[in-house]
Amino acid sequence: MAEKAVKKDEQKLAAVVRTEFGKGSARRARRANQIPAVIYGHGAAPIHIALPERQTTRAVRGANALLTLDIQGDVHLALVKDIQRDPLLQIIEHIDLLTVRKGEKVIVDVPVVLIGEVAPGAVTNQEEVTISLEAEATNLPKHVEVDIAGREVGAHIYAADLVLPAGSVLLADPELLIVNISEPEEQDLGEETEAPAADAPAAE
């Protein structure tokens, strides 16, 4: 039985068109508490925009965020496809957005979330943290759950075993290994060195 897909609320943001480009322009935008972004898709020319930093940062916390953008009176529905962050500060430097329409199918990578605890003495190895799906742009799942409760050593869960949200289609290889359950690895501490006897003669 398929899980019910979780419909995300569309986040509404006001955007302005950018007419300057390059690193200098991007720095000025960030100093003005704006995030540079580009919106593309459906064969239209890319639109370079600036988004409000605080509201946008909140709106894109989850995977595959869906945004309703008011670009100076022109409304666009857009899916977040890529976020570039500063490697040290982790602030958002740039966002790539894909124009979508209601009811349109899109390809997304959805997080895989493990639920439950494996059998005692077993160890969980999650081989894939996301799974590629096709789903409606306005009805994207937040994640796909994998129940590992009570799974014993030797158990394997493949992409074909996943219970997908309603309306989603698996695009990954059905034989892709998602989770395997194994025995704990024994730590090799090496051979213990015997301490010299207390009454052993000291070396000259």
Side-chain angles (χ1 to χ4, degrees), residues 80-92:
V80 175
K81 294 300 292 181
D82 188 52
I83 298 177
Q84 291 94 54
R85 298 180 185 272
D86 181 283
L88 296 177
L89 302 177
Q90 286 300 299
I91 60 173
I92 298 176

mmCIF file with all atom_site columns, all heavy atoms in Angstrom, residues 80-92:
data_model
loop_
_atom_site.group_PDB
_atom_site.id
_atom_site.type_symbol
_atom_site.label_atom_id
_atom_site.label_alt_id
_atom_site.label_comp_id
_atom_site.label_asym_id
_atom_site.label_entity_id
_atom_site.label_seq_id
_atom_site.pdbx_PDB_ins_code
_atom_site.Cartn_x
_atom_site.Cartn_y
_atom_site.Cartn_z
_atom_site.occupancy
_atom_site.B_iso_or_equiv
_atom_site.pdbx_formal_charge
_atom_site.auth_seq_id
_atom_site.auth_comp_id
_atom_site.auth_asym_id
_atom_site.auth_atom_id
_atom_site.pdbx_PDB_model_num
ATOM 1   N N   . VAL A 1 80 ? 13.206 24.531 -6.308  1.00 0.00 ? 80 VAL A N   1
ATOM 2   C CA  . VAL A 1 80 ? 14.632 24.712 -6.021  1.00 0.00 ? 80 VAL A CA  1
ATOM 3   C C   . VAL A 1 80 ? 15.397 23.488 -6.526  1.00 0.00 ? 80 VAL A C   1
ATOM 4   O O   . VAL A 1 80 ? 15.136 22.361 -6.113  1.00 0.00 ? 80 VAL A O   1
ATOM 5   C CB  . VAL A 1 80 ? 14.875 24.892 -4.515  1.00 0.00 ? 80 VAL A CB  1
ATOM 6   C CG1 . VAL A 1 80 ? 16.366 24.946 -4.218  1.00 0.00 ? 80 VAL A CG1 1
ATOM 7   C CG2 . VAL A 1 80 ? 14.190 26.160 -4.012  1.00 0.00 ? 80 VAL A CG2 1
ATOM 8   N N   . LYS A 1 81 ? 16.341 23.709 -7.431  1.00 0.00 ? 81 LYS A N   1
ATOM 9   C CA  . LYS A 1 81 ? 17.127 22.609 -7.992  1.00 0.00 ? 81 LYS A CA  1
ATOM 10  C C   . LYS A 1 81 ? 18.533 22.538 -7.426  1.00 0.00 ? 81 LYS A C   1
ATOM 11  O O   . LYS A 1 81 ? 19.125 21.471 -7.336  1.00 0.00 ? 81 LYS A O   1
ATOM 12  C CB  . LYS A 1 81 ? 17.194 22.738 -9.526  1.00 0.00 ? 81 LYS A CB  1
ATOM 13  C CG  . LYS A 1 81 ? 15.871 22.563 -10.212 1.00 0.00 ? 81 LYS A CG  1
ATOM 14  C CD  . LYS A 1 81 ? 15.243 21.201 -9.940  1.00 0.00 ? 81 LYS A CD  1
ATOM 15  C CE  . LYS A 1 81 ? 16.023 20.060 -10.587 1.00 0.00 ? 81 LYS A CE  1
ATOM 16  N NZ  . LYS A 1 81 ? 15.383 18.750 -10.337 1.00 0.00 ? 81 LYS A NZ  1
ATOM 17  N N   . ASP A 1 82 ? 19.092 23.675 -7.057  1.00 0.00 ? 82 ASP A N   1
ATOM 18  C CA  . ASP A 1 82 ? 20.466 23.652 -6.531  1.00 0.00 ? 82 ASP A CA  1
ATOM 19  C C   . ASP A 1 82 ? 20.690 24.892 -5.665  1.00 0.00 ? 82 ASP A C   1
ATOM 20  O O   . ASP A 1 82 ? 20.211 25.976 -5.990  1.00 0.00 ? 82 ASP A O   1
ATOM 21  C CB  . ASP A 1 82 ? 21.483 23.613 -7.674  1.00 0.00 ? 82 ASP A CB  1
ATOM 22  C CG  . ASP A 1 82 ? 22.899 23.402 -7.158  1.00 0.00 ? 82 ASP A CG  1
ATOM 23  O OD1 . ASP A 1 82 ? 23.108 22.449 -6.392  1.00 0.00 ? 82 ASP A OD1 1
ATOM 24  O OD2 . ASP A 1 82 ? 23.783 24.202 -7.511  1.00 0.00 ? 82 ASP A OD2 1
ATOM 25  N N   . ILE A 1 83 ? 21.408 24.676 -4.570  1.00 0.00 ? 83 ILE A N   1
ATOM 26  C CA  . ILE A 1 83 ? 21.762 25.772 -3.666  1.00 0.00 ? 83 ILE A CA  1
ATOM 27  C C   . ILE A 1 83 ? 23.272 25.755 -3.472  1.00 0.00 ? 83 ILE A C   1
ATOM 28  O O   . ILE A 1 83 ? 23.830 24.745 -3.063  1.00 0.00 ? 83 ILE A O   1
ATOM 29  C CB  . ILE A 1 83 ? 21.061 25.630 -2.303  1.00 0.00 ? 83 ILE A CB  1
ATOM 30  C CG1 . ILE A 1 83 ? 19.536 25.681 -2.469  1.00 0.00 ? 83 ILE A CG1 1
ATOM 31  C CG2 . ILE A 1 83 ? 21.531 26.719 -1.342  1.00 0.00 ? 83 ILE A CG2 1
ATOM 32  C CD1 . ILE A 1 83 ? 18.781 25.461 -1.166  1.00 0.00 ? 83 ILE A CD1 1
ATOM 33  N N   . GLN A 1 84 ? 23.922 26.877 -3.782  1.00 0.00 ? 84 GLN A N   1
ATOM 34  C CA  . GLN A 1 84 ? 25.352 27.000 -3.539  1.00 0.00 ? 84 GLN A CA  1
ATOM 35  C C   . GLN A 1 84 ? 25.556 27.742 -2.216  1.00 0.00 ? 84 GLN A C   1
ATOM 36  O O   . GLN A 1 84 ? 24.977 28.810 -2.012  1.00 0.00 ? 84 GLN A O   1
ATOM 37  C CB  . GLN A 1 84 ? 26.046 27.752 -4.670  1.00 0.00 ? 84 GLN A CB  1
ATOM 38  C CG  . GLN A 1 84 ? 26.093 26.991 -5.988  1.00 0.00 ? 84 GLN A CG  1
ATOM 39  C CD  . GLN A 1 84 ? 24.937 27.342 -6.901  1.00 0.00 ? 84 GLN A CD  1
ATOM 40  O OE1 . GLN A 1 84 ? 24.709 28.499 -7.185  1.00 0.00 ? 84 GLN A OE1 1
ATOM 41  N NE2 . GLN A 1 84 ? 24.206 26.340 -7.374  1.00 0.00 ? 84 GLN A NE2 1
ATOM 42  N N   . ARG A 1 85 ? 26.373 27.149 -1.351  1.00 0.00 ? 85 ARG A N   1
ATOM 43  C CA  . ARG A 1 85 ? 26.629 27.742 -0.035  1.00 0.00 ? 85 ARG A CA  1
ATOM 44  C C   . ARG A 1 85 ? 28.108 28.031 0.144   1.00 0.00 ? 85 ARG A C   1
ATOM 45  O O   . ARG A 1 85 ? 28.959 27.353 -0.439  1.00 0.00 ? 85 ARG A O   1
ATOM 46  C CB  . ARG A 1 85 ? 26.167 26.795 1.084   1.00 0.00 ? 85 ARG A CB  1
ATOM 47  C CG  . ARG A 1 85 ? 24.672 26.505 1.072   1.00 0.00 ? 85 ARG A CG  1
ATOM 48  C CD  . ARG A 1 85 ? 24.300 25.567 2.216   1.00 0.00 ? 85 ARG A CD  1
ATOM 49  N NE  . ARG A 1 85 ? 22.911 25.162 2.173   1.00 0.00 ? 85 ARG A NE  1
ATOM 50  C CZ  . ARG A 1 85 ? 21.911 25.832 2.730   1.00 0.00 ? 85 ARG A CZ  1
ATOM 51  N NH1 . ARG A 1 85 ? 22.173 26.939 3.399   1.00 0.00 ? 85 ARG A NH1 1
ATOM 52  N NH2 . ARG A 1 85 ? 20.671 25.393 2.641   1.00 0.00 ? 85 ARG A NH2 1
ATOM 53  N N   . ASP A 1 86 ? 28.403 29.016 0.962   1.00 0.00 ? 86 ASP A N   1
ATOM 54  C CA  . ASP A 1 86 ? 29.778 29.291 1.345   1.00 0.00 ? 86 ASP A CA  1
ATOM 55  C C   . ASP A 1 86 ? 30.287 28.097 2.153   1.00 0.00 ? 86 ASP A C   1
ATOM 56  O O   . ASP A 1 86 ? 29.635 27.695 3.121   1.00 0.00 ? 86 ASP A O   1
ATOM 57  C CB  . ASP A 1 86 ? 29.839 30.561 2.191   1.00 0.00 ? 86 ASP A CB  1
ATOM 58  C CG  . ASP A 1 86 ? 31.257 30.920 2.592   1.00 0.00 ? 86 ASP A CG  1
ATOM 59  O OD1 . ASP A 1 86 ? 31.798 30.263 3.519   1.00 0.00 ? 86 ASP A OD1 1
ATOM 60  O OD2 . ASP A 1 86 ? 31.820 31.849 2.013   1.00 0.00 ? 86 ASP A OD2 1
ATOM 61  N N   . PRO A 1 87 ? 31.430 27.489 1.760   1.00 0.00 ? 87 PRO A N   1
ATOM 62  C CA  . PRO A 1 87 ? 31.890 26.275 2.444   1.00 0.00 ? 87 PRO A CA  1
ATOM 63  C C   . PRO A 1 87 ? 32.220 26.467 3.916   1.00 0.00 ? 87 PRO A C   1
ATOM 64  O O   . PRO A 1 87 ? 32.164 25.515 4.692   1.00 0.00 ? 87 PRO A O   1
ATOM 65  C CB  . PRO A 1 87 ? 33.137 25.879 1.642   1.00 0.00 ? 87 PRO A CB  1
ATOM 66  C CG  . PRO A 1 87 ? 33.567 27.124 0.942   1.00 0.00 ? 87 PRO A CG  1
ATOM 67  C CD  . PRO A 1 87 ? 32.314 27.888 0.666   1.00 0.00 ? 87 PRO A CD  1
ATOM 68  N N   . LEU A 1 88 ? 32.556 27.689 4.318   1.00 0.00 ? 88 LEU A N   1
ATOM 69  C CA  . LEU A 1 88 ? 32.896 27.940 5.722   1.00 0.00 ? 88 LEU A CA  1
ATOM 70  C C   . LEU A 1 88 ? 31.710 28.484 6.512   1.00 0.00 ? 88 LEU A C   1
ATOM 71  O O   . LEU A 1 88 ? 31.357 27.963 7.561   1.00 0.00 ? 88 LEU A O   1
ATOM 72  C CB  . LEU A 1 88 ? 34.072 28.918 5.805   1.00 0.00 ? 88 LEU A CB  1
ATOM 73  C CG  . LEU A 1 88 ? 35.403 28.412 5.220   1.00 0.00 ? 88 LEU A CG  1
ATOM 74  C CD1 . LEU A 1 88 ? 36.458 29.499 5.311   1.00 0.00 ? 88 LEU A CD1 1
ATOM 75  C CD2 . LEU A 1 88 ? 35.867 27.158 5.937   1.00 0.00 ? 88 LEU A CD2 1
ATOM 76  N N   . LEU A 1 89 ? 31.084 29.526 5.988   1.00 0.00 ? 89 LEU A N   1
ATOM 77  C CA  . LEU A 1 89 ? 29.999 30.177 6.711   1.00 0.00 ? 89 LEU A CA  1
ATOM 78  C C   . LEU A 1 89 ? 28.662 29.481 6.522   1.00 0.00 ? 89 LEU A C   1
ATOM 79  O O   . LEU A 1 89 ? 27.735 29.673 7.302   1.00 0.00 ? 89 LEU A O   1
ATOM 80  C CB  . LEU A 1 89 ? 29.877 31.634 6.273   1.00 0.00 ? 89 LEU A CB  1
ATOM 81  C CG  . LEU A 1 89 ? 31.132 32.496 6.458   1.00 0.00 ? 89 LEU A CG  1
ATOM 82  C CD1 . LEU A 1 89 ? 30.897 33.897 5.910   1.00 0.00 ? 89 LEU A CD1 1
ATOM 83  C CD2 . LEU A 1 89 ? 31.528 32.545 7.925   1.00 0.00 ? 89 LEU A CD2 1
ATOM 84  N N   . GLN A 1 90 ? 28.547 28.679 5.441   1.00 0.00 ? 90 GLN A N   1
ATOM 85  C CA  . GLN A 1 90 ? 27.314 27.956 5.121   1.00 0.00 ? 90 GLN A CA  1
ATOM 86  C C   . GLN A 1 90 ? 26.137 28.874 4.810   1.00 0.00 ? 90 GLN A C   1
ATOM 87  O O   . GLN A 1 90 ? 24.984 28.476 4.893   1.00 0.00 ? 90 GLN A O   1
ATOM 88  C CB  . GLN A 1 90 ? 26.941 26.975 6.251   1.00 0.00 ? 90 GLN A CB  1
ATOM 89  C CG  . GLN A 1 90 ? 27.820 25.738 6.312   1.00 0.00 ? 90 GLN A CG  1
ATOM 90  C CD  . GLN A 1 90 ? 27.754 24.926 5.021   1.00 0.00 ? 90 GLN A CD  1
ATOM 91  O OE1 . GLN A 1 90 ? 26.702 24.447 4.618   1.00 0.00 ? 90 GLN A OE1 1
ATOM 92  N NE2 . GLN A 1 90 ? 28.901 24.760 4.373   1.00 0.00 ? 90 GLN A NE2 1
ATOM 93  N N   . ILE A 1 91 ? 26.424 30.136 4.476   1.00 0.00 ? 91 ILE A N   1
ATOM 94  C CA  . ILE A 1 91 ? 25.357 31.013 4.025   1.00 0.00 ? 91 ILE A CA  1
ATOM 95  C C   . ILE A 1 91 ? 25.081 30.730 2.548   1.00 0.00 ? 91 ILE A C   1
ATOM 96  O O   . ILE A 1 91 ? 25.956 30.270 1.812   1.00 0.00 ? 91 ILE A O   1
ATOM 97  C CB  . ILE A 1 91 ? 25.716 32.495 4.229   1.00 0.00 ? 91 ILE A CB  1
ATOM 98  C CG1 . ILE A 1 91 ? 26.994 32.844 3.446   1.00 0.00 ? 91 ILE A CG1 1
ATOM 99  C CG2 . ILE A 1 91 ? 25.887 32.817 5.700   1.00 0.00 ? 91 ILE A CG2 1
ATOM 100 C CD1 . ILE A 1 91 ? 27.346 34.307 3.453   1.00 0.00 ? 91 ILE A CD1 1
ATOM 101 N N   . ILE A 1 92 ? 23.846 30.993 2.116   1.00 0.00 ? 92 ILE A N   1
ATOM 102 C CA  . ILE A 1 92 ? 23.474 30.734 0.727   1.00 0.00 ? 92 ILE A CA  1
ATOM 103 C C   . ILE A 1 92 ? 24.071 31.809 -0.170  1.00 0.00 ? 92 ILE A C   1
ATOM 104 O O   . ILE A 1 92 ? 23.887 33.014 0.063   1.00 0.00 ? 92 ILE A O   1
ATOM 105 C CB  . ILE A 1 92 ? 21.946 30.702 0.574   1.00 0.00 ? 92 ILE A CB  1
ATOM 106 C CG1 . ILE A 1 92 ? 21.358 29.564 1.420   1.00 0.00 ? 92 ILE A CG1 1
ATOM 107 C CG2 . ILE A 1 92 ? 21.560 30.540 -0.890  1.00 0.00 ? 92 ILE A CG2 1
ATOM 108 C CD1 . ILE A 1 92 ? 19.843 29.505 1.408   1.00 0.00 ? 92 ILE A CD1 1
#
